[in-house]
Amino acid sequence: MSNITEEVTKLVSPIVEELELELVDVEFLKEGRDWFLRVYIDTPNGPIDIDQCAQVSEKLSEELDRTDPIPQNYFLEVSSPGAERPLKKEEDFQKAIGQFVFIKTYELIDGMKEFEGYLLSYGPDAAEVEIRIKTRKLTVVIDKEKIALARLAIDFSA
């Protein structure tokens, strides 16, 4: 399925660039009996609106009809990544410094695989996250290759 997401990324990238938007992620998933092609877009200066999603959906749909890279039937969804936006690219992490994040790792670090806290830094080798355990604040260093999933999160304790 990664070939499909790569192909769709190549098709949608010029569309979002032309509209001065940002491509956040592309997913191709099976849920129940149905396949979904989900494209998440955003703007550099604030929330995306429904008209922008519709523009991308219309132009991408034309490209998908023209190139036909997906053999099975699917539903196309173009939307905002939401408040819990995924962090995938280097620049996503850089923009998230100082923000509350959720990071899941492939293996245990200090006895844990899930970390919620403020992203202090993100460098060539690791991310530093300030987490809270009860009333204590701790800084955890997470090697980049150990990060399985990362996204912005909502701090309900604030």
Side-chain angles (χ1 to χ4, degrees):
M1 293 309 132
S2 65
N3 289 345
I4 289 175
T5 57
E6 289 172 16
E7 187 63 32
V8 172
T9 298
K10 288 177 190 171
L11 292 173
V12 74
S13 291
I15 295 168
V16 295
E17 286 173 22
E18 174 190 327
L19 297 170
E20 297 179 359
L21 301 172
E22 177 187 356
L23 178 62
V24 175
D25 200 10
V26 176
E27 298 177 334
F28 188 61
L29 309 162
K30 187 172 187 180
E31 293 179 3
R33 290 196 213 163
D34 297 320
W35 284 92
F36 291 87
L37 175 59
R38 293 191 175 113
V39 176
Y40 298 98
I41 57 173
D42 209 351
T43 66
N45 307 324
I48 196 87
D49 67 41
I50 192 88
D51 292 331
Q52 292 166 311
C53 290
Q55 280 183 301
V56 171
S57 180
E58 185 178 307
K59 290 177 183 251
L60 177 57
S61 188
E62 290 171 7
E63 283 300 305
L64 290 167
D65 288 345
R66 186 180 63 75
T67 60
D68 201 21
I70 304 172
Q72 61 265 60
N73 292 331
Y74 60 91
F75 294 97
L76 172 62
E77 296 177 355
V78 177
S79 68
S80 160
E84 295 188 335
R85 171 191 175 133
L87 304 175
K88 299 227 174 193
K89 301 174 278 205
E90 179 84 23
E91 65 192 53
D92 296 338
F93 283 93
Q94 292 300 326
K95 286 182 191 175
I97 291 173
Q99 296 187 53
F100 198 74
V101 298
F102 171 82
I103 296 178
K104 188 173 187 171
T105 59
Y106 290 112
E107 57 188 63
L108 292 173
I109 298 172
D110 297 333
M112 300 183 297
K113 288 180 87 171
E114 294 184 355
F115 303 88
E116 274 193 337
Y118 288 91
L119 183 63
L120 300 176
S121 68
Y122 188 79
D125 301 318
E128 271 190 307
V129 181
E130 180 183 84
I131 64 170
R132 181 173 282 213
I133 298 178
K134 296 187 181 184
T135 58
R136 290 183 20 217
K137 289 182 181 178
L138 302 170
T139 299
V140 178
V141 177
I142 303 170
D143 291 339
K144 283 169 70 169
E145 67 268 2
K146 293 181 181 176
I147 297 174
L149 175 134
R151 62 173 167 74
L152 294 178
I154 298 169
D155 184 359
F156 290 104
S157 67

